[in-house]
Amino acid sequence: MERISWDQYFMAQSHLLALRSTCTRLMVGATIVRDKRIIAGGYNGSVSGSVHCIDEGCYIVDNHCVRTVHAEANALLQCAKFGVATEGADMYVTHFPCLQCTKLIIQSGLKNIYYATDYRNDPFAEQLFKETGVKTKQVPLTSLAVDFQHEAKEAYVDKLLHHLSDTLAPEDYEKLVKEGEHLFNFTKK
């Protein structure tokens, strides 16, 4: 069995954190890592003790929900709250940081930002990252499912395809093979 890469591991953690989001507009998660160890995590949601968007709706001002604290800010605030240094650490975040979070990231001393998805990438945020030497890299999450039966399922589909190869027209068979490769991320033997 091949282990997932560190980038995929930490990005998966950020996507898992995003599942805790209370924002109805976009679910975002962020993980701060130093020396291949998670030091903090955050998701976008309301201030502790306040109402949540999922309960009372978003509070929109100038097309932004002002009820929520962004995932990146929550992760950084967790470090501040518990006295954990962020200098030289990395952040994995599900979406490219907004301009305000970009400034927080830079000021906190993070060195590398890995994000899964472009999201309204602000040109000034990109410029600030470049000017300050904070590296950004897109790292799409390629797999998040935890399936302890995936090898058996792939073998079963492969066996089914083998049996169908003699009964289907070649073009229909190839279509099924391509769909299986796409769905199960495997190559027909």
Side-chain angles (χ1 to χ4, degrees):
M1 182 173 121
E2 187 177 324
R3 298 192 306 170
I4 63 174
S5 70
W6 285 112
D7 282 344
Q8 289 298 300
Y9 173 74
F10 295 127
M11 192 58 74
Q13 176 68 30
S14 294
H15 282 270
L16 186 62
L17 283 161
L19 295 175
R20 289 280 307 153
S21 172
T22 61
C23 179
T24 57
R25 298 179 75 188
L26 184 68
M27 298 172 74
V28 180
T31 304
I32 301 176
V33 175
R34 185 177 35 261
D35 299 326
K36 294 188 173 43
R37 299 291 179 261
I38 297 171
I39 61 172
Y43 53 87
N44 56 330
S46 299
V47 172
S48 296
S50 185
V51 297
H52 298 286
C53 297
I54 57 173
D55 298 325
E56 295 196 13
C58 293
Y59 181 21
I60 305 296
V61 176
D62 294 330
N63 204 29
H64 294 288
C65 180
V66 296
R67 188 183 307 278
T68 59
V69 179
H70 288 191
E72 302 93 325
N74 268 326
L76 291 167
L77 289 167
Q78 188 178 87
C79 288
K81 185 175 184 176
F82 295 106
V84 178
T86 55
E87 184 70 35
D90 301 327
M91 179 181 280
Y92 289 80
V93 62
T94 56
H95 297 78
F96 191 86
C98 72
L99 178 57
Q100 297 306 316
C101 286
T102 294
K103 292 187 274 186
L104 294 174
I105 287 165
I106 292 166
Q107 290 301 95
S108 67
L110 296 179
K111 293 299 174 201
N112 297 291
I113 306 303
Y114 303 97
Y115 64 98
T117 306
D118 286 313
Y119 181 74
R120 300 180 183 173
N121 298 26
D122 187 287
F124 187 55
E126 292 173 336
Q127 178 185 331
L128 285 174
F129 279 139
K130 286 178 186 161
E131 285 177 4
T132 59
V134 176
K135 294 177 179 63
T136 60
K137 180 181 177 187
Q138 189 168 18
V139 177
L141 183 63
T142 57
S143 178
L144 181 59
V146 176
D147 184 353
F148 296 108
Q149 303 264 331
H150 73 279
E151 290 175 351
K153 290 176 183 177
E154 288 177 11
Y156 181 73
V157 169
D158 189 48
K159 184 176 167 183
L160 286 174
L161 286 171
H162 177 73
H163 288 298
L164 288 172
S165 66
D166 296 331
T167 60
L168 293 175
E171 60 274 3
D172 293 335
Y173 174 73
E174 284 305 314
K175 190 185 285 184
L176 285 177
V177 168
K178 285 189 186 313
E179 187 175 349
E181 288 173 347
H182 173 74
L183 289 174
F184 292 98
N185 198 25
F186 76 96
T187 305
K188 176 80 175 89
K189 296 172 183 121

